[in-house]
Amino acid sequence: MSRPLLLVGAGGLARETLAAVRAGTGWEPVGALDDNPATHGTRIDGLPVLGPSTLVHEMADAAVILCVASVRRPYARRDLAARLDLPDERYATVVHPAASLAPGTEVGAGSILLAGVVVTAPQRIGRHVVAMPHVVFTHDDEAGDHSCFAARATLAGGVHIGQCAYVGQGALVREYTKIGEGAVIGMGSVVLTDVPAGQTWAGVPAKPLGER
């Protein structure tokens, strides 16, 4: 029997996650939760928005997946997880059937890997990581908790991505490069050197745009 699943968030990532779940992950989506009252009573692709995120505590039999990601707020997922204060056992892990993960890959609680994600060699993907379509992780990469990878981001070997970092759409990261906690990499960027925590880098090659 499929375990019921609550999606926290009612935006674009929730729609993408819902599609992945419905593609055949063994979870049974029963509703979405969102802290914007205007969404309550609406539906996202047929799934009802039941109320605020605090309902996760009342619906204790359901697993939970956080469908929140923003380049403008790279700490949003970590902040939401801290506020809900749920044990890892409550979180689902959603891996689209069309993702390709090397045998032995470990995916942390609450992570979302969408269609076309490729992990070429066994490694550990952190907790609450989001990898959008066609993201590539190669050998010996480290994806920190709450990090986010937009579509077609590609990591060469031995790349370390800090917690809450955001790697933009189509970005390329050179081998053995480190991207610090909360750093943001702009779309289409080519990262050739280490990126300090909290900075935004963009361009070819990527250069710092400022520090938050």
Side-chain angles (χ1 to χ4, degrees), residues 18-102:
L18 179 60
V21 169
R22 288 173 170 169
T25 59
W27 298 103
E28 180 61 36
V30 294
L33 307 177
D34 196 279
D35 292 326
N36 179 4
T39 65
H40 300 170
T42 65
R43 289 179 175 267
I44 54 169
D45 298 332
L47 188 73
V49 181
L50 304 175
S53 61
T54 52
L55 287 179
V56 297
H57 302 293
E58 298 180 27
M59 304 176 69
D61 292 336
V64 175
I65 192 78
L66 304 183
C67 301
V68 175
S70 172
V71 66
R72 296 177 180 84
R73 296 185 298 121
Y75 289 95
R77 291 173 63 76
R78 188 173 76 178
D79 292 346
L80 179 57
R83 180 161 55 83
L84 295 179
D85 194 26
L86 298 173
D88 279 354
E89 290 75 20
R90 281 292 308 276
Y91 284 107
T93 298
V94 173
V95 179
H96 194 288
S100 175
L101 275 59

